[in-house]
Amino acid sequence: MSQRTSARRPENGQDSLDLVLRDRPIDEKNGVNASLGFTFQQWWAALSIAELLGSGDDFAVGVEVKEDIAILDSAQSPTKVEFCQVKKHERDGVWVLKDLHKKGSKRKDGTHENSILAKLYARRQEFGASRANLRFVSNIGVKLPNEAGADSLTTNTDLSTLTTEQQKLVKAAVSTQLGIPEEDIDLAGVLVHKTNLPLGEPEIFVSGKLEQLSSTGQLPFQLSHTSVAARVLASEVQSRASSTTYARSFEDLKLRIISKSQALNILASVAQSRAPLSQILEEATAELDREGHPFIERKDIKAQRVRVCADASDRTNMIFIGVASALQLARIPIEAAIGAKATLGELMNEVVEEARVSSPAEFNGLPLAYIRAVALLVLSDAIDLTVFTAPAGPEPKEDE
């Protein structure tokens, strides 16, 4: 063994965890998922990151690191890992204990694939029970036998809490499939877990978790657009999962790992960015709906949404910048006078009325609903007036 490898062995003689986590030729590779959308496993990884951010402890989440998901206690010098196998089930139903430990499909050579639990337990053989926990995750529940022998639905159960008889069944199956002594199998830290993450619209669930973290002060910043943040986080997970380069070292493997600090940076970038104008305008009109603003006015404003967002995106549109600037100037005294007690609809109408009186030329020929829609963007601080520039005009003629 090389001197470098020997130096990384702890006193118990095991290789350090980061050394063992690197890719091996015998590792099973499923390849990059060809789906255009995010997979259930990737959404569950995003959810796990959000949940871990609420714990306060250091962590790192790896995708396609030995198993679907690997949760480490550090991205720099990990000492413990939890390997998670994530299975989605498209139809209603439940798992039973036998489903988890029965041998799999038959191979061409007459042997059988290992069971779900045997495949997971092989990781514990490789890494040691003291530093590798295991978790089977599914969107449907698992029925496990209780003390009376009757099956009961469980959401998060350590298999070491099963009856001695039921543990013996699991150990016997894993022993046979992996070829290890039954007495060497330790089920403590082997969990079966039902996730509440839904198959449909998982981004809403993850968004809700991020909203909880933000509203309870568990993030070092306010996260206003949690639905955007959820998708950005899942996108980063998907990007990491697509890194199939053979990792000869832990440094190489970090391409598939998101650390706690990286997760916070990802969310901070969303917190510091503005939401799309269409979303801001949609949220503003939704607020008008909640206020009971006149229906026809709301309908007309919504009809102008596409035109307003297109004009706001054109930085040379001087008609739009004239309207937005006039509304911004009118906004300042109006908010000072009635801002604290006015609804959004009242502010919008007051600002529009004041601006049209103060700068009538800016609004000639424009529909009132268009002006109101721009006012909603101005009141939402969605327009950066400094980025608009006048179009280039003809060069002035030199004096003769």
Side-chain angles (χ1 to χ4, degrees), residues 75-246:
Q76 302 304 322
S77 301
T79 60
K80 291 185 178 181
V81 59
E82 182 177 36
F83 291 112
C84 306
Q85 196 172 120
V86 184
K87 300 285 187 185
K88 71 172 182 177
H89 206 290
E90 299 285 357
R91 293 175 292 181
D92 293 335
V94 293
W95 300 88
V96 295
L97 184 59
K98 186 178 179 181
D99 294 331
L100 305 185
H101 66 69
K102 68 181 180 182
K103 59 187 179 183
S105 56
K106 194 173 184 179
R107 302 187 185 101
K108 291 181 179 180
D109 62 3
T111 61
H112 288 79
E113 296 281 349
N114 286 334
S115 65
I116 290 170
L117 287 180
K119 287 179 179 179
L120 261 179
Y121 201 85
R123 299 303 179 193
R124 177 163 276 188
Q125 274 189 287
E126 185 179 355
F127 289 83
S130 64
R131 56 183 185 175
N133 284 339
L134 312 170
R135 186 171 2 168
F136 168 73
V137 181
S138 180
N139 61 304
I140 61 174
V142 180
K143 278 190 172 182
L144 297 177
N146 56 29
E147 294 85 346
D151 284 344
S152 58
L153 200 61
T154 182
T155 56
N156 198 59
T157 299
D158 191 306
L159 293 186
S160 66
T161 64
L162 295 177
T163 63
T164 302
E165 181 182 351
Q166 294 299 333
Q167 287 190 57
K168 186 172 179 60
L169 288 175
V170 174
K171 290 180 179 181
V174 173
S175 170
T176 300
Q177 292 168 45
L178 297 182
I180 57 177
E182 191 174 321
E183 58 271 18
D184 290 349
I185 297 174
D186 182 4
L187 295 181
V190 182
L191 302 178
V192 291
H193 172 69
K194 177 188 179 297
T195 176
N196 290 323
L197 182 69
L199 289 182
E201 298 183 324
E203 65 276 11
I204 295 177
F205 194 85
V206 177
S207 173
K209 184 62 183 178
L210 293 174
E211 171 64 32
Q212 181 186 25
L213 291 176
S214 180
S215 62
T216 55
Q218 292 176 281
L219 294 176
F221 43 78
Q222 287 295 311
L223 196 58
S224 302
H225 310 292
T226 54
S227 59
V228 176
R231 295 195 68 83
V232 171
L233 188 57
S235 179
E236 184 63 25
V237 169
Q238 185 183 58
S239 176
R240 303 283 172 138
S242 67
S243 177
T244 56
T245 302
Y246 187 84

Side-chain angles (χ1 to χ4, degrees), residues 307-308 310-312 314-327 359-367 370-371 374 378 383 385 388-391:
R307 178 185 173 186
V308 167
D311 288 351
D314 180 2
R315 296 185 178 185
T316 64
N317 189 323
M318 301 314 293
I319 294 176
F320 177 86
I321 192 58
V323 171
S325 297
L327 291 167
S359 308
E362 303 291 355
F363 302 94
N364 284 340
L366 292 175
Y370 177 94
I371 300 169
V374 179
V378 169
I383 304 298
L385 299 177
F388 286 83
T389 57

Side-chain angles (χ1 to χ4, degrees), residues 33-67:
N33 190 284
S35 172
L36 292 177
F38 304 126
T39 67
F40 185 74
Q41 287 88 345
Q42 290 161 2
W43 273 119
W44 189 81
L47 175 62
S48 296
I49 291 170
E51 291 174 338
L52 288 163
L53 283 171
S55 71
D57 298 327
D58 193 15
F59 70 86
V61 173
V63 284
E64 302 299 335
V65 177
K66 304 296 184 183
E67 294 294 336

Side-chain angles (χ1 to χ4, degrees), residues 7-8 10 15-21 58-61 71-81 127 131 250-251 253-254 257-261:
R8 298 182 60 142
D15 285 329
S16 61
L17 188 58
D18 58 352
L19 190 64
V20 187
L21 279 167
D58 193 15
F59 70 86
V61 173
I71 300 175
L72 312 173
D73 61 353
S74 169
Q76 302 304 322
S77 301
T79 60
K80 291 185 178 181
V81 59
F127 289 83
R131 56 183 185 175
F250 187 65
E251 285 300 314
L253 198 63
K254 285 182 180 179
I257 294 173
I258 299 175
S259 67
K260 179 180 181 178
S261 61

